Amino acid sequence: MTHKFRQPIDDETYGLGPLAFRNPDLEREFRQTYWIKALPIARFGVISASVLWMAFGYLDVMLASHKLWELWTIRFGVGLPTALLCIAFSYVPAANAAYHAVLTPAAVACGVSSIAMVAVNVPPASESYYAGIIIVLFVTYTVGQRPV
């Protein structure tokens, strides 16, 4: 028995198969609409992560000023430009099909940058840089939820 306000789903029209509509026009329209709605959220996530990444530059000054050149080369020469490239790529019209292909290497680059900052430092300063790896994991999981 169906609820009086709920219409049964016509499988021939909507074809709700394995996470895709059988109707290619409906699937294309859904993906385009989803991309338009998810893109600002992804951009906000990457921008927020970039601001947080830059703010941790203060940690470099306070904890490891003797290694400031090496740390800022990694932070502002590798990590930040990688995030900015992700943001710039999101404005390319063809980005819908390949956005994950850009986010994945960017996440790896930022994670490796965090590991490099740990490696450049000496204890006890290096012990404070593991938070960067955790932040990269959180941001990657959050921003990377949008399917291609």
Side-chain angles (χ1 to χ4, degrees):
M1 181 174 163
T2 60
H3 194 275
K4 71 178 190 174
F5 297 111
R6 185 177 234 179
Q7 297 291 328
I9 294 175
D10 180 9
D11 195 43
E12 293 300 318
T13 304
Y14 295 106
L16 296 172
L19 301 178
F21 293 106
R22 288 188 188 134
N23 182 335
D25 295 330
L26 192 58
E27 179 67 21
R28 187 171 31 262
E29 182 181 344
F30 170 78
R31 286 184 178 264
Q32 182 178 9
T33 302
Y34 191 78
W35 170 251
I36 290 168
K37 290 182 178 180
L39 187 59
I41 297 167
R43 283 183 187 144
F44 176 76
V46 175
I47 290 169
S48 299
S50 299
V51 169
L52 190 60
W53 184 265
M54 289 185 299
F56 270 87
Y58 180 72
L59 184 71
D60 300 335
V61 174
M62 297 307 295
L63 294 179
S65 58
H66 61 285
K67 297 282 188 172
L68 198 59
W69 173 251
E70 292 92 342
L71 294 171
W72 280 15
T73 299
I74 296 167
R75 184 177 303 281
F76 297 111
V78 177
L80 186 62
T82 303
L84 294 177
L85 284 173
C86 286
I87 295 166
F89 184 71
S90 72
Y91 288 96
V92 174
N96 184 8
Y99 200 60
H100 274 108
V102 172
L103 280 178
T104 302
V108 170
C110 290
V112 169
S113 295
S114 293
I115 293 168
M117 286 189 272
V118 171
V120 165
N121 266 316
V122 294
S126 63
E127 295 165 359
S128 299
Y129 282 83
Y130 288 101
I133 299 168
I134 295 169
I135 291 169
V136 169
L137 289 173
F138 287 163
V139 170
T140 303
Y141 178 78
T142 305
V143 174
Q145 290 299 304
R146 191 198 63 76
V148 178

